[in-house]
Amino acid sequence: MRIATWNVNSLKQRMPRMLPWLDKRKPDVVCLQETKLTDDAFAALVGEEFSSRGYEVAAHGETSWNGVAILSKVGLEDVVRGIPDGPGFPEPEARAVTATCGGLRITSVYVPNGRSVDSDHYNYKLKWLEALKAMVAPDAERAIIAGDVNIAPTDEDVFDPEAYEGHTHVTPREREALESIKALGLHDVVRDRWPTERVFSYWDYRAGMFHQDLGMRIDLILAGGPVAERAQAAWIDRQARKGKGPSDHAPVIVDLDEAPDGDIGPVVPPPSAPAARRGTKKLPQGPAAS
């Protein structure tokens, strides 16, 4: 089974890339984030295109912002939209959808950004992560959480820790919240498979960050122990970040039981430029990530 997650940063804008990507990579399950469509608009835009490729769809969206979805060729049952009793800002947002696919309990997540440290949105982010943990905990062994978690798990997951000082995505409280979820028995399958590799999933559009490989790894697939043991390949589809009209995120792909393309590593293809030395680059002005 091939499972992928991709923050598309507007599905409407990304459709010219999404359909060829589905045809090329042939994932069995796809978790999408930042669809930025209501459920009706989602169905009108892509329903026939996805169903003709064999996908059932569970979408949870809102106008212009957020939005998540799960596409599945291996069944789609017991769909839950949102996080029961989860916090809002001030109302609940379309940031999670869960379904059983191929016997796995899969949640597509778009974790709140946090905006600035100790802001109301930062505290909302921490409460949202607590609610996610509570939802996943009863069925953690067969769980997969896949999506844009808006947290770089360690300093190895950003191009230069000094550049991110004072920003969200790297603070101790965020990382502790993520580790608390992993403590349910969930494994970060990309990092487990490639413990020492430089590997990112997000690059700011500005300042040539992608071509210099100045990125972050904030898109994760977390899997319960029995599921993680089935992983045969875990990688970032960097090719999908190249070319005209990309998202600022690349898809993350995990192959369970067999690896159709082989154990090809975390970065496809290699970076366009060598890594910058620590302390030589600053972030573009504006938010650190989506």
Side-chain angles (χ1 to χ4, degrees):
M1 184 188 302
R2 171 164 285 180
I3 300 170
T5 183
W6 192 2
N7 179 324
V8 292
N9 191 8
S10 175
L11 185 57
K12 185 175 182 179
Q13 292 186 36
R14 228 54 66 201
M15 282 299 288
R17 299 182 65 107
M18 168 63 70
L19 298 179
W21 179 81
L22 288 174
D23 295 339
K24 181 177 183 180
R25 297 303 186 197
K26 295 180 170 53
D28 298 292
V29 178
V30 185
C31 296
L32 300 177
Q33 300 87 43
E34 276 202 277
T35 58
K36 299 182 180 180
L37 295 167
T38 64
D39 294 349
D40 288 344
F42 186 104
L45 176 68
V46 301
E48 188 172 323
E49 293 285 4
F50 288 168
S51 63
S52 68
R53 289 168 169 80
Y55 290 106
E56 296 179 82
V57 177
H60 181 39
E62 56 188 280
T63 304
S64 302
W65 303 103
N66 306 319
V68 288
I70 299 174
L71 321 181
S72 176
K73 291 183 176 181
V74 292
L76 190 75
E77 301 173 346
D78 302 324
V79 174
V80 174
R81 293 172 172 84
I83 298 178
D85 301 318
F89 195 76
E91 300 299 323
E93 298 179 305
R95 292 185 174 273
V97 62
T98 303
T100 300
C101 309
L104 304 180
R105 193 63 177 159
I106 297 177
T107 303
S108 176
V109 299
Y110 178 45
V111 175
N113 175 288
R115 297 182 185 171
S116 61
V117 177
D118 294 328
S119 68
D120 289 343
H121 204 263
Y122 182 87
N123 293 325
Y124 162 55
K125 180 178 190 174
L126 298 177
K127 291 177 182 177
W128 196 94
L129 289 164
E130 288 178 5
L132 174 65
K133 177 184 177 180
M135 181 183 75
V136 172
D139 211 3
E141 283 200 347
R142 65 173 185 139
I144 286 182
I145 299 173
D148 179 357
V149 304
N150 269 320
I151 301 168
T154 72
D155 282 354
E156 299 304 313
D157 297 302
V158 297
F159 74 87
D160 183 352
E162 293 178 24
Y164 288 90
E165 289 181 4
H167 291 268
T168 57
H169 299 73
V170 300
T171 65
R173 293 180 70 192
E174 291 167 287
R175 287 175 169 173
E176 288 165 7
L178 179 60
E179 286 300 314
S180 179
I181 292 173
K182 290 171 61 181
L184 297 173
L186 302 182
H187 294 254
D188 180 347
V189 288
V190 169
R191 186 52 78 198
D192 281 1
R193 196 154 191 86
W194 306 101
T196 62
E197 296 283 344
R198 177 184 172 95
V199 51
F200 304 133
S201 65
Y202 164 87
W203 301 261
D204 196 289
Y205 283 126
R206 296 163 292 182
M209 300 288 276
F210 175 67
H211 297 290
Q212 298 174 78
D213 198 33
L214 305 179
M216 310 175 75
R217 192 175 71 93
I218 56 176
D219 302 89
L220 308 182
I221 296 180
L222 306 178
V227 183
E229 289 176 0
R230 296 167 56 189
Q232 299 299 310
W235 47 291
I236 310 294
D237 190 359
R238 194 174 183 277
Q239 183 67 46
R241 180 61 173 80
K242 285 179 167 278
K244 182 179 180 181
S247 171
D248 43 2
H249 297 252
V252 182
I253 298 175
V254 169
D255 290 313
L256 303 181
D257 304 324
E258 61 178 347
D261 298 312
D263 194 7
I264 58 178
V267 178
V268 183
S272 303
R277 288 174 296 146
R278 180 172 285 196
T280 62
K281 290 287 183 179
K282 295 182 179 180
L283 297 181
Q285 294 299 311
S290 63

